[in-house]
Amino acid sequence: MNRPIRFFSFLLSLTIAALLLIAAVRYAAAQPTAPTVRYATAFTIQNFDTYRLLTVTRPWRGADRTFEYLFVKRGTPDPEGYPEAQRIETPVSSVASLAATHLAFLGRLGTLDRLTAIANPQYVSSETVQSGIAAGTIAAVGNGPDVDLEELLSVNPDVVTTFAMGKSTKDDYQQLLSLGMKTLIFSDYMEETPLGRAEWIKVMALLFDQEAEAERIFDDIERRYLALTEISAKLEVKPSVIMGFHQNGKWNVPGGNSVQAAYIRDAGGAYLWADDGTSGRFPISFETALEKGAEADFWLDQSLSWRSAEDILNADPRYAGIKAFADNRVYNNNRLVADNGANLYSETGIVNPDIVLADLIRILHPEALPDHDIVYYRRLDTHELP
């Protein structure tokens, strides 16, 4: 009698152990893996077995709310416990992107063929997108308060990617959500480092189940960028830099915690407002700008319409008082401009921070990267003036 009992006990123990193992595996599958986000600070991603949870933690400056999104693999049940999250079934087959920088992410992921609507063609240089607009396969719907809701509804994309500023008079996401459209807010502009901005490609990848590809792309960008910072870190001389220009009664200066300031730091320069804690731009007077920046070694990033030193002086002769102007060290990030006026730095620089950094090192320290051909920047040659 004892042998059958012992055998039954043995089988029962095996069954219990198997059930516990299955439960443990299911529990582990339902737990988030270690986040892969390394530089971005405005979003988090939690990876689960059949879904991803994206939280946009800083959708705009001074925001007092966050946005949650569930990216659920097609054909799998909805997870429980996320009443405020938008549910997006992946991979999506169509997307409307209402910011030009989003197109750069789509292009790097090879998913421009899913694009069915954009905001404004004049800000887009991509031949693929322009061809789609001409052929009628990609609609131009505007954005913000001017978004053409009727046209966007007729396109009926699986999801709309947009951005927000926290102002009902300028944002479009409230209108899109009220119409039942899946609306994904990108706040890449909130990032304070070039790699942080570039890492938003991982958010776009969630739409297409291309997390692994986005990770590979970003790893390559990071590797090249960090290799360049190793070069600039060895440079002893740090030339001073002033940025921006005077317009409509004010000179908008990038703050010391801005992406622009990070680029100058990583390129081995000394940005004159590096000690300022602002992550965006802030206005100062022309006089204040000259008081601090008149002796700057370099002057970067002016009006995108300026393509010569003559353009600078036509805007305001006082610019000639900047030392960088006299020394022929004025560079603008508008070397690549499409026929329609779209600026490729503004559109594609977000996914090419390593190229932007190489350009800046070549400008500030020509001897450090002698073989690099500058891509995004042009010198506004002041020595060509009559």
Side-chain angles (χ1 to χ4, degrees):
M1 294 293 294
N2 289 338
R3 181 176 296 176
I5 293 174
R6 287 198 299 271
F7 181 69
F8 176 78
S9 298
F10 174 71
L11 288 179
L12 181 61
S13 298
L14 282 179
T15 302
I16 293 173
L19 291 173
L20 289 173
L21 179 61
I22 292 172
V25 169
R26 287 179 175 174
Y27 177 81
Q31 301 310 302
T33 59
T36 59
V37 181
R38 300 193 289 277
Y39 297 91
T41 60
F43 74 89
T44 62
I45 297 174
Q46 291 178 286
N47 303 308
F48 296 85
D49 186 36
T50 59
Y51 66 96
R52 307 289 183 263
L53 174 64
L54 166 70
T55 304
V56 178
T57 55
R58 294 190 297 133
W60 54 77
R61 301 193 195 286
D64 58 0
R65 63 163 300 181
T66 62
F67 290 84
E68 286 187 336
Y69 303 88
L70 286 174
F71 296 85
V72 183
K73 293 184 182 298
R74 195 176 302 279
T76 60
D78 285 352
E80 298 179 354
Y82 305 100
E84 301 298 323
Q86 286 189 65
R87 180 188 183 278
I88 299 173
E89 194 172 71
T90 64
V92 301
S93 58
S94 61
V95 59
S97 290
L98 305 187
T101 53
H102 301 178
L103 306 184
F105 295 135
L106 292 172
R108 288 298 289 270
L109 291 169
T111 53
L112 276 174
D113 60 324
R114 315 284 182 90
L115 184 68
T116 56
I118 63 168
N120 301 301
Q122 63 266 35
Y123 298 127
V124 177
S125 64
S126 167
E127 293 183 3
T128 299
V129 176
Q130 291 293 348
S131 296
I133 294 171
T137 58
I138 298 176
V141 298
N143 60 7
D146 299 323
V147 62
D148 188 336
L149 296 174
E150 184 176 350
E151 179 69 14
L152 193 54
L153 282 171
S154 70
V155 173
N156 193 29
D158 289 342
V159 66
V160 180
T161 67
T162 188
F163 64 96
M165 301 178 68
K167 299 178 180 179
S168 59
T169 57
K170 294 186 177 181
D171 295 339
D172 51 34
Y173 77 92
Q174 302 101 323
Q175 300 178 72
L176 302 177
L177 288 173
S178 69
L179 294 174
M181 306 191 79
K182 304 294 185 182
T183 306
L184 175 56
I185 292 178
F186 275 66
S187 57
D188 48 274
Y189 74 92
M190 289 291 294
E191 300 297 343
E192 298 178 357
T193 65
L195 289 177
R197 290 193 71 199
E199 201 161 22
W200 277 79
I201 194 172
K202 297 178 181 180
V203 174
M204 187 67 78
L206 294 172
L207 294 172
F208 309 101
D209 292 342
Q210 289 197 8
E211 294 94 326
E213 176 65 6
E215 196 74 26
R216 183 194 65 77
I217 292 171
F218 183 78
D219 286 349
D220 286 345
I221 293 171
E222 177 192 33
R223 174 180 51 78
R224 293 190 296 268
Y225 192 97
L226 294 181
L228 289 167
T229 62
E230 290 180 3
I231 293 174
S232 63
K234 299 174 183 177
L235 302 172
E236 295 183 1
V237 177
K238 308 291 183 183
S240 58
V241 177
I242 185 174
M243 303 177 78
F245 65 104
H246 189 255
Q247 185 180 40
N248 298 327
K250 57 187 177 182
W251 188 305
N252 284 314
V253 177
N257 285 337
S258 65
V259 167
Q260 293 85 353
Y263 269 130
I264 300 305
R265 179 187 65 242
D266 291 345
Y271 179 48
L272 293 177
W273 280 267
D275 293 336
D276 174 83
T278 307
S279 58
R281 293 176 179 266
F282 61 94
I284 59 176
S285 67
F286 196 112
E287 292 73 21
T288 301
L290 284 190
E291 181 180 348
K292 191 166 187 174
E295 295 301 312
D297 296 313
F298 288 87
W299 179 20
L300 305 177
D301 298 359
Q302 307 86 27
S303 168
L304 293 178
S305 65
W306 294 356
R307 302 189 182 187
S308 68
E310 189 175 4
D311 290 339
I312 299 175
L313 295 183
N314 286 339
D316 196 318
R318 291 179 295 175
Y319 288 125
I322 299 176
K323 176 177 177 290
F325 186 95
D327 292 345
N328 200 25
R329 290 180 169 182
V330 181
Y331 290 83
N332 207 359
N333 53 8
N334 62 351
R335 182 173 185 173
L336 297 180
V337 178
D339 292 340
N340 65 349
N343 183 288
L344 272 74
Y345 175 90
S346 302
E347 184 181 342
T348 66
I350 191 169
V351 294
N352 294 313
D354 51 316
I355 297 177
V356 175
L357 182 60
D359 279 1
L360 290 170
I361 293 175
R362 182 71 174 84
I363 290 169
L364 301 181
H365 303 278
E367 75 288 351
L369 288 179
D371 297 326
H372 174 71
D373 294 326
I374 294 176
V375 175
Y376 287 114
Y377 281 82
R378 73 166 77 224
R379 169 182 267 167
L380 305 187
D381 198 335
T382 59
H383 288 177
E384 291 183 350
L385 287 169

